[in-house]
Amino acid sequence: MKRFFRNILLFFNIIAALTLLFIYLSVWVSPVVFWVPALVGLAYPYILLLNILFILYWLFAAPKWALVSIVCVGLGYTHLQNYFQFAPKESTDKGIVVCSYNVKAFAAKGYKYKDATQNAQTILDHLKTKKPDILCFQEMSFLNKKGYAGFNKQFDLKGLPTKADAGRVHGPVTLTKFPIIHKDEVHFEHTGNMIIITDVVTPSDTLRVFNCHLESYRFTQEDISSLDSISINKQDNNMKEFRLFGSKLKKAFIKRAEQAEELRRQIDASPYPVLVCGDFNDTPVSYTYHTVRGELKDAFVESGAGIGNTYLGRLPSFRIDYILHSPDFEAYNFQIDHVDFSDHYPVSCTLIPNKKD
């Protein structure tokens, strides 16, 4: 009986290990070609945890079988680092303070747009404490003119006089205390998501800043509620909800992959060191992240600590907001501020130029 039980556990262990290996494909295979790895990739932290539990069990029960999961976890060690960091890297040296924040059109956690003006002021008061040199917003709303005008004016008074935005009622905005010498925009077809490009002259070099908001899943509160209300007694309705949910996931995976590839082309074409800030709407184990990051450094991986969750919503969970940069800089003091002024948390770090020989 004991041997039978262990064989059953070993079978499920092998399934979990193979699933982990399949997830690793998600960073290499474009969802345009095959979208299933991207879907399974959302479960990476849970499948990883399951494999770790199997390792712990086999180390006591039958150590040789622990190798099944040890090898698979080891093969994805880089992905583990992208999800979790043990110790922060801090510095008091002067550098470029960068902050990125999806402000959800100044809507508070409850999405009460009538409170946008008050929430904008709350966000402003919080961000003033960061003393940013470069501030990238996603989902900034210009519809609330009074709220935005006060927001922009107060940041001007705090030393961020130059601004690049999409010139639309809703979109990304980049504020900086440095002179701006060039602005550009990249628009994607059939979506409001976009990238704004800003060349700023910093004390050490000209820096090209990419402020991006990539495709979301566009789940409504009704979508989420319908999943919560799934019942075994309503199988036909359940299938309908699953198909709708799956359709939105697939469309988002494909659109986001195409957007990530375009962002990568823009990064490769930059004549200057780059800074990429934004809401990728995807996790670190994804084609989106892997494509955009390329040879860039990830500020969280360099100087963050903990799990790195930046999203308050339920899907996608964990880290979906990023600060990436060229190897010309080192990142320190990465922070995620756990405030509920939006459905995202603001992220920030200090970039210090590498000393040139």
Side-chain angles (χ1 to χ4, degrees):
M1 187 65 181
K2 185 176 180 181
R3 183 175 181 180
F4 175 77
F5 175 72
R6 285 190 177 181
N7 287 339
I8 292 296
L9 281 182
L10 180 59
F11 172 77
F12 284 109
N13 188 171
I14 292 172
I15 295 297
L18 291 176
T19 302
L20 196 59
L21 293 178
F22 185 74
I23 286 173
Y24 296 159
L25 289 177
S26 66
V27 305
W28 299 102
V29 179
S30 169
V32 177
V33 177
F34 184 41
W35 69 280
V36 176
L39 174 64
V40 182
L42 295 175
Y44 168 76
Y46 308 107
I47 301 300
L48 174 67
L49 178 60
L50 183 58
N51 276 274
I52 291 174
L53 291 175
F54 275 123
I55 291 172
L56 294 176
Y57 171 78
W58 290 121
L59 285 176
F60 291 98
K64 66 177 181 180
W65 295 120
L67 288 173
V68 174
S69 286
I70 288 175
V71 170
C72 291
V73 171
L75 288 173
Y77 181 68
T78 300
H79 302 312
L80 177 59
Q81 285 184 308
N82 292 338
Y83 256 93
F84 186 86
Q85 287 294 311
F86 291 94
K89 185 173 68 174
E90 299 176 346
S91 175
T92 57
D93 292 347
K94 184 174 177 56
I96 301 171
V97 179
V98 179
C99 184
S100 182
Y101 194 12
N102 182 324
V103 294
K104 190 64 176 180
F106 297 129
K109 188 177 179 182
Y111 311 115
K112 298 178 181 177
Y113 284 85
K114 63 181 180 181
D115 299 327
T117 301
Q118 180 181 357
N119 199 46
Q121 184 61 50
T122 304
I123 290 173
L124 173 64
D125 292 339
H126 176 76
L127 293 177
K128 281 179 183 176
T129 65
K130 313 294 289 186
K131 298 180 180 179
D133 299 310
I134 298 175
L135 178 55
C136 294
F137 289 111
Q138 300 85 43
E139 291 197 70
M140 174 76 90
S141 173
F142 308 106
L143 292 174
N144 190 318
K145 296 295 184 182
K146 182 179 178 181
Y148 176 71
F151 192 93
N152 195 34
K153 182 180 178 181
Q154 289 202 50
F155 260 110
D156 288 352
L157 295 175
K158 284 294 174 180
L160 295 173
T162 51
K163 172 172 69 74
D165 63 57
R168 296 160 53 168
V169 298
H170 188 271
V173 174
T174 300
L175 296 167
T176 176
K177 76 174 188 180
F178 302 121
I180 295 176
I181 60 173
H182 174 73
K183 304 177 187 178
D184 202 356
E185 300 175 8
V186 177
H187 295 268
F188 304 121
E189 292 184 356
H190 311 301
T191 181
N193 297 86
M194 63 175 296
I195 307 164
I196 58 172
I197 302 171
T198 314
D199 292 345
V200 300
V201 181
T202 73
S204 62
D205 202 349
T206 300
L207 183 65
R208 176 158 291 183
V209 181
F210 295 91
N211 183 357
C212 62
H213 181 210
L214 304 185
E215 191 71 23
S216 69
Y217 294 106
R218 305 190 183 279
F219 292 135
T220 64
Q221 286 298 113
E222 290 74 17
D223 292 333
I224 301 299
S225 298
S226 65
L227 286 182
D228 289 337
S229 61
I230 284 176
S231 169
I232 59 174
N233 298 321
K234 300 178 180 179
Q235 293 187 13
D236 290 341
N237 188 59
N238 292 348
M239 287 305 299
K240 181 180 178 181
E241 297 296 341
F242 278 128
R243 282 195 295 268
L244 176 62
F245 208 72
S247 175
K248 288 191 174 185
L249 286 168
K250 181 179 178 180
K251 288 179 181 178
F253 289 143
I254 292 173
K255 279 190 175 182
R256 203 159 48 238
E258 294 170 340
Q259 294 167 5
E261 289 168 357
E262 176 58 32
L263 177 53
R264 182 72 250 173
R265 284 190 287 270
Q266 295 291 333
I267 293 170
D268 290 339
S270 173
Y272 311 117
V274 305
L275 169 66
V276 181
C277 294
D279 172 9
F280 290 10
N281 271 309
D282 225 334
T283 69
V285 182
S286 67
Y287 181 80
T288 298
Y289 173 81
H290 184 260
T291 299
V292 175
R293 181 177 175 182
E295 299 301 318
L296 300 179
K297 291 187 174 183
D298 185 328
F300 169 78
V301 175
E302 282 192 274
S303 61
I307 295 176
N309 179 36
T310 66
Y311 186 60
L312 280 74
R314 296 171 59 180
L315 188 70
S317 190
F318 302 101
R319 188 162 68 106
I320 64 173
D321 300 271
Y322 301 89
I323 298 176
L324 310 178
H325 61 88
S326 293
D328 304 65
F329 296 87
E330 291 292 327
Y332 296 88
N333 311 326
F334 185 90
Q335 288 186 326
I336 300 171
D337 298 334
H338 293 90
V339 292
D340 60 354
F341 309 142
S342 168
D343 58 349
H344 292 248
Y345 296 131
V347 295
S348 62
C349 74
T350 301
L351 296 181
I352 298 179
N354 290 323
K355 293 181 180 179
K356 296 181 179 180
D357 297 330

